[in-house]
């Protein structure tokens, strides 16, 4: 299940390949976490109440290893507060 506003997430290696194929040279690459506030994210996507509930249950049922990887934060009431993805900043220049 993914954010319907995105076709798919490009891998870092794909970004680098596209940059290099366009005649640029990668000078710097920096990875960093991107935190999403769950309620805000759901509202921006205009998710139905049913889909939001389904997603909440799926995140709550996620194995511990994935909860750690994506920093899924669930409060004591069972509400999903936030989760994280990974973003990348790439600096490139013309040859």
């Amino acid at each position: 299940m993914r954010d319907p506003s995105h076709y798919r997430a490009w891998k870092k290696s794909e970004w680098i390949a596209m940059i290099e194929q366009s005649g640029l040279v990668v000078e710097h690459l920096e990875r960093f976490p991107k935190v999403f506030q769950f309620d805000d994210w759901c509202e921006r996507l205009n998710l139905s109440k049913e889909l939001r509930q389904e997603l909440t249950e799926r995140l709550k049922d996620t194995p511990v290893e994935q909860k750690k990887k994506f920093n899924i934060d669930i409060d004591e009431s069972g509400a999903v507060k936030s989760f994280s993805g990974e973003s990348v900043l790439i600096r490139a220049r013309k040859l």
Side-chain angles (χ1 to χ4, degrees):
M1 181 180 270
R2 67 175 299 103
D3 177 343
S5 70
H6 297 285
Y7 169 68
R8 73 177 187 93
W10 297 93
K11 297 177 183 177
K12 288 180 287 299
S13 59
E14 292 173 311
W15 277 108
I16 292 167
M18 288 186 288
I19 289 168
E20 291 175 343
Q21 288 168 2
S22 71
L24 301 172
V25 175
V26 174
E27 290 185 326
H28 179 78
L29 183 142
E30 187 174 336
R31 296 174 14 201
F32 58 94
K34 184 173 182 180
V35 178
F36 298 90
Q37 299 303 317
F38 186 72
D39 287 338
D40 180 57
W41 182 78
C42 288
E43 287 173 25
R44 282 196 323 268
L45 296 177
N46 199 27
L47 294 182
S48 68
K49 185 177 181 179
E50 295 78 21
L51 189 53
R52 185 186 292 217
Q53 185 59 40
E54 177 188 346
L55 187 53
T56 297
E57 294 305 317
R58 290 175 81 171
L59 289 170
K60 287 168 49 176
D61 292 340
T62 298
V64 173
E65 188 174 305
Q66 270 90 19
K67 281 181 180 167
K68 287 181 182 178
K69 177 176 175 54
F70 294 102
N71 297 310
I72 299 170
D73 182 18
I74 300 169
D75 70 15
E76 60 280 345
S77 73
V80 177
K81 304 306 284 178
S82 64
F83 62 94
S84 295
E86 183 179 88
S87 289
V88 64
L89 173 67
I90 301 172
R91 183 176 64 221
R93 65 175 173 80
K94 287 185 179 182
L95 286 174

